[in-house]
Amino acid sequence: MNSLLSKKSLLKSKSFGFTIVELIIVVGIISIFSGLMLPSFLNWIRTEQVNSYTRELREYFRVVRLDARRWGSICNVNTNSISYNSVPNDKNYYGYDVSCSGQSRTINSLAPAINNSIFQVTNLDFRITPNGRISSDGSVVIVIGSRYFNSGAKLLNCLVIKSPTGHIVKGKFIDKEWISGQMPVSQIDQNNILTPNKCEAS
């Protein structure tokens, strides 16, 4: 009986917990897994930012065409030049300035905002006619990519707005050699790099 009581009191006097060595091992394992998962997580975020802006831009140009037809307006679509890393966090910067004649007044407010995490390059400015067709020297090509293209997910989306029908095709841009480390947030292609045949439909 005495031996049973002494065993119980011995168990009660012992404190159960983790030693400092065990805690260090657990923290080390968590740090290793976090280090392995963080780049993949960042690449996923950057890819989703590019895909999201591409979807919004495609829908926006569809709305502009519908608005031009609705009001019988002529809409001029001009690319805003925005230099590298120069967009503040106020969500009031847009890659395009759209001005429509007639009664359309709110079309610019529907444009997707652009930020420093992505870049866009357009081959030319264009006009949308009152019947929703595209008036330009050829098809409009827009390439959207991540600012971190050279150190992260190698993703280049593209939109081709067919002239004169206005039909929009989404795809992946296959020429990647021209991407630099400090791409302007928004610009016009001055070197004739953006051609419709380099945009593979997806």
Side-chain angles (χ1 to χ4, degrees):
M1 185 72 176
N2 284 341
S3 63
L4 271 173
L5 287 173
S6 63
K7 282 183 183 177
K8 283 184 181 178
S9 62
L10 186 64
L11 287 173
K12 282 182 183 176
S13 66
K14 282 189 178 179
S15 60
F16 295 98
F18 296 106
T19 65
I20 189 72
V21 175
E22 290 170 332
L23 287 174
I24 290 172
I25 291 170
V26 169
V27 169
I29 290 171
I30 291 171
S31 300
I32 290 169
F33 280 124
S34 299
L36 292 173
M37 289 177 359
L38 186 61
S40 297
F41 182 66
L42 290 176
N43 283 342
W44 178 81
I45 290 175
R46 292 163 184 169
T47 299
E48 189 51 37
Q49 285 175 332
V50 173
N51 287 333
S52 175
Y53 184 76
T54 305
R55 287 191 300 268
E56 290 176 16
L57 198 59
R58 182 180 185 179
E59 183 63 18
Y60 176 62
F61 286 132
R62 188 186 72 81
V63 170
V64 173
R65 288 181 59 223
L66 290 174
D67 208 56
R69 292 177 66 183
R70 176 184 180 190
W71 300 107
S73 304
I74 295 173
C75 296
N76 293 306
V77 181
N78 298 307
T79 306
N80 290 327
S81 293
I82 305 172
S83 58
Y84 172 77
N85 205 30
S86 63
V87 178
N89 294 322
D90 60 4
K91 298 289 186 185
N92 290 326
Y93 275 65
Y94 305 99
Y96 296 93
D97 179 58
V98 179
S99 57
C100 297
S101 63
Q103 300 182 44
S104 180
R105 296 287 180 268
T106 60
I107 200 68
N108 260 329
S109 64
L110 301 175
I114 199 164
N115 58 59
N116 291 323
S117 297
I118 57 177
F119 67 84
Q120 68 174 25
V121 186
T122 310
N123 66 335
L124 49 87
D125 294 331
F126 60 99
R127 175 178 290 178
I128 299 174
T129 65
N131 60 1
R133 295 170 78 81
I134 302 299
S135 175
S136 67
D137 294 335
S139 293
V140 180
V141 181
I142 304 164
V143 173
I144 301 114
S146 171
R147 168 187 173 179
Y148 305 96
F149 180 84
N150 291 321
S151 59
K154 309 291 185 203
L155 175 68
L156 280 183
N157 284 346
C158 54
L159 295 174
V160 176
I161 307 174
K162 304 277 188 178
S163 177
T165 62
H167 179 66
I168 303 174
V169 177
K170 178 184 175 293
K172 303 293 180 195
F173 202 72
I174 57 175
D175 184 0
K176 302 177 180 181
E177 302 301 320
W178 52 282
I179 305 297
S180 67
Q182 294 192 344
M183 292 291 293
V185 175
S186 179
Q187 66 173 323
I188 284 274
D189 172 28
Q190 304 290 344
N191 302 313
N192 298 320
I193 296 168
L194 308 189
T195 55
N197 62 306
K198 294 179 182 176
C199 184
E200 291 187 344
S202 59

